[in-house]
DNA sequence: AATGAATGAGGGTTCATTCAT
DNA sequence: TATGAATGAACCCTCATTCAT
């Protein structure tokens, strides 16, 4: 129990640093944030930061991975898997938008320039985790006969990349000002991809607004 | 004429700086590249850089815009517009891949952290320019009756974002090792989007390769 | 008895710290060795070091004195005093080389920068202790009529200094690669000093080796 | 000439740094002296130090080598070579003492702990330069028949080491308080080495004082 | 226009030391 | 006694920027 408490405190201090860093990175950007800033915001000493992270860059990566995991978690909603596949694309998109809206400020962390190969691996892992979850959802649909077989992994990858970038554009670049628009057309595009009809043949949905 | 020559020399020195900066930014990243490095690579003095750019960040912006323009240019291929629309999606994807492959190293640049809002605007501009070109292509197809009417701008936007990230993943993260795979499925996805059949109905296409 | 045992444990822990420090100072140098390193090597906690030493510098001093005492001890070999003086110079040199060879790594320690005057005094003490032993040996020889009277203290001092530096050069700088050479010529020089003949007169001895 | 002046200024700035560093190293010790201190003392900016030296340690080495060269220079006195050998040992010792006395504060630099191999090489070079000069002097004496042949290099080495350490002890440890004593007995010892008589046989010189 | 030596503010990082447990 | 997490002062070094030539 003593062990546990220590571990808890340890965890909470690490989290405090991450929270402080997140706040500051969002407010001032990475370069403009100093370790001293982070320590002050987290109410700890400068040196303490280095007990939990090896470098400033390490703190950054921690923040970024944190966010990516948060998004991955939104796909793990057990309700999602019990839906008929016709409702899944919309549900997925809804999930991404919800998480992104709630953490709008953090979205810019989805686009990191990854200098070190170690960092790249961390991000790649995170990306693969999400991709795998998506692919699994598609695979189940195929097995249930709701979809024709296709290269689930690659489609998951592409959709994942698209999602990342749409969130970035919608929330980080445009501050969510056109969220509804992005949401609706993202849903439409994904649904069309899975269920058709194609843009050439379909006559109904796609006509109004600017 | 003297004026002109001076201006020419001026232009060429500015370009030399941009070229040097591009090389170094790609090789070492922005933070790790110093003005001294750039000056050395461009065979000029440190001070001279400041005759053509106001700050290091200014040099960076110059380089970034340069690259994005290059990509935008690939869409302006006049041949593209004279193709029947059935061939256009593939041609577009081919164009993106070709430009990206040739400038593989520059791609990672498009994703570099844009903290300041000024830079974000620049990127937004660039993005909008490309998006507009795409939308125009789609609009023409609609006018020629090759496509049903749809929200061309938003679809262009989404496709554009997808393209950016696919290029980044394919060339910057994976070093182009699975280029063929990404290419084929990117084409397939876009074609399916425009021409169907949807994944639920189509039986044939999606079986080959690893 | 409890007192005694505590004191023993105390002694052994202090020694453990000194041993750990010695190893690390030799391997990495004073500046590069941290208190944390020492604690780890000694299998104790950082704070414990401060129960036995007031500061890092204090640990250093402890280590240095330790080494010098070891060398001083080699001169106290009782057999040495019972030898006829003709054999004593060689025996002395042998002793120095033996101790130095065994603790090759520690020798470089004798030369570490002693900036503070307090440390200089400690060194002076240590030096004087060794010098006194040497002078005593010479004094006995004079009393036994084996040597003409001379300024024993100053000669001891000079020889002592020479010894220090020869050991440093031979073992610390050259890693003992030319030990035999240094040994032979050190013996020769000291014997020549005490027994002649001078370099101007002697014809034989100095011809062999590389 | 412009070239020359620049080079001169460059030299003088480097020398200013060395002088400032020397002063401070002597006054406060290496560790306690900061680059900022040195820059202030030299009336330049911190960054400027790094235009002339790669690191703080590099400055230190510069100071040390400077001093060693100064001593080497004292051996190059052309008058020395024209003396009959009987007067050379005393002249050599006189030279060392004169230089050392003039730069008493710097003598402690003769004893550096040399961590990096690069530093060690620099010192080794310096040492070998001095040794070679000494050996050359002896060799000439042998050729002129003033000395019997002997291992000049090794004796030079040993004498050199002895000299270094005597200077260190006399001036750095004892602040020159017993300079006369050290001088006289150093001369006596060296002369006895070269010219005899040995301590066992000689009756004259070595009796008085404490 | 071109130079490049000089600047100096600023930041990441280390690590000896402390103290609550 | 023993611990080791926390502290925070201090320092080396970098490098964008300037300006006298």
């Amino acid at each position: 129990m003593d062990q546990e408490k220590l571990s808890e405190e340890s965890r909470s201090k690490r989290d405090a640093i991450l929270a402080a860093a997140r706040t500051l990175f969002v407010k001032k950007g990475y370069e403009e944030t100093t370790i001293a800033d982070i320590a002050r915001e987290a109410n700890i000493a400068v040196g303490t930061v280095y007990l939990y992270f090896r470098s400033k860059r390490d703190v950054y990566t921690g923040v970024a991975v944190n966010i990516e995991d948060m998004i991955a978690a939104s796909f793990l909603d057990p309700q999602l898997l019990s839906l008929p596949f016709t409702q899944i694309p919309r549900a997925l998109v809804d999930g991404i938008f919800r998480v992104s809206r709630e953490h709008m400020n953090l979205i810019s962390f989805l686009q990191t320039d990854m200098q070190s190969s170690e960092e790249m691996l961390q991000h790649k892992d995170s990306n693969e985790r999400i991709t795998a979850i998506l692919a699994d959802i598609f695979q189940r649909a195929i097995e249930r006969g709701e979809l024709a077989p296709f290269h689930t992994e690659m489609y998951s990858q592409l959709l994942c990349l698209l999602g990342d970038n749409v969130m970035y554009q919608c929330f980080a670049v445009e501050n969510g000002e056109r969220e509804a628009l992005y949401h609706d057309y993202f849903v439409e595009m994904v649904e069309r991809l899975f269920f058709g009809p194609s843009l050439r043949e379909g006559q109904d949905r796609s006509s109004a607004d600017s």
Side-chain angles (χ1 to χ4, degrees), chain A:
Chain A
M1 209 192 261
D2 221 38
Q3 187 73 357
E4 222 171 275
K5 208 165 71 186
L6 268 177
S7 172
E8 258 176 54
E9 263 188 43
S10 200
R11 164 67 52 188
S12 88
K13 197 150 280 184
R14 200 190 127 95
D15 285 347
I17 294 168
L18 283 177
R22 207 160 61 188
T23 306
L24 292 166
F25 286 161
V26 167
K27 200 191 316 185
K28 310 167 51 174
Y30 176 78
E31 293 302 332
E32 299 309 306
T33 301
T34 70
I35 293 289
D37 290 336
I38 295 173
R40 202 177 309 114
E41 178 82 17
N43 281 316
I44 55 167
V46 172
T48 307
V49 175
Y50 287 88
L51 289 179
Y52 297 92
F53 297 90
R54 268 171 313 182
S55 67
K56 186 188 176 187
R57 191 76 200 171
D58 201 27
V59 175
Y60 181 86
T61 305
V63 172
V65 166
N66 222 329
I67 293 168
E68 284 169 354
D69 283 349
M70 212 158 53
I71 292 178
S74 82
F75 290 121
L76 288 174
D77 182 358
Q79 293 200 306
L80 204 69
L81 293 172
S82 58
L83 293 173
F85 191 77
T86 49
Q87 296 174 34
I88 282 187
R90 176 175 293 269
L92 284 174
V93 174
D94 286 353
I96 297 180
F97 271 88
R98 193 188 60 249
V99 173
S100 299
R101 192 186 325 109
E102 280 166 10
H103 305 281
M104 201 180 299
N105 303 327
L106 311 177
I107 294 302
S108 61
F109 287 98
L110 294 178
Q111 311 285 349
T112 317
D113 66 327
M114 299 163 286
Q115 304 292 356
S116 83
S117 53
E118 193 191 355
E119 253 175 283
M120 226 148 192
L121 279 182
Q122 285 200 27
H123 281 274
K124 206 171 173 176
D125 277 3
S126 176
N127 181 284
E128 277 172 7
R129 244 175 290 140
I130 300 181
T131 302
I133 294 172
L134 270 187
D136 186 52
I137 290 173
F138 297 149
Q139 201 58 49
R140 285 161 188 261
I142 291 171
E143 280 162 13
R144 287 199 305 265
E146 295 180 297
L147 286 178
F150 64 104
H151 197 306
T152 53
E153 194 215 331
M154 182 52 68
Y155 269 77
S156 301
Q157 176 79 278
L158 294 177
L159 285 173
C160 214
L161 295 177
L162 178 56
D164 266 16
N165 237 355
V166 169
M167 292 308 102
Y168 184 70
Q169 178 73 25
C170 174
F171 291 107
V173 177
E174 302 187 7
N175 284 311
E177 287 150 10
R178 297 198 295 166
E179 180 188 343
L181 207 59
Y182 276 104
H183 175 272
D184 290 350
Y185 282 96
F186 194 12
V187 170
E188 178 185 315
M189 188 186 249
V190 178
E191 286 186 348
R192 193 188 301 280
L193 197 63
F194 284 107
F195 312 127
S198 72
L199 283 171
R200 192 161 56 173
E201 297 158 340
Q203 240 70 337
D204 40 328
R205 226 175 281 217
S206 41
S207 35
D209 70 288
S210 88

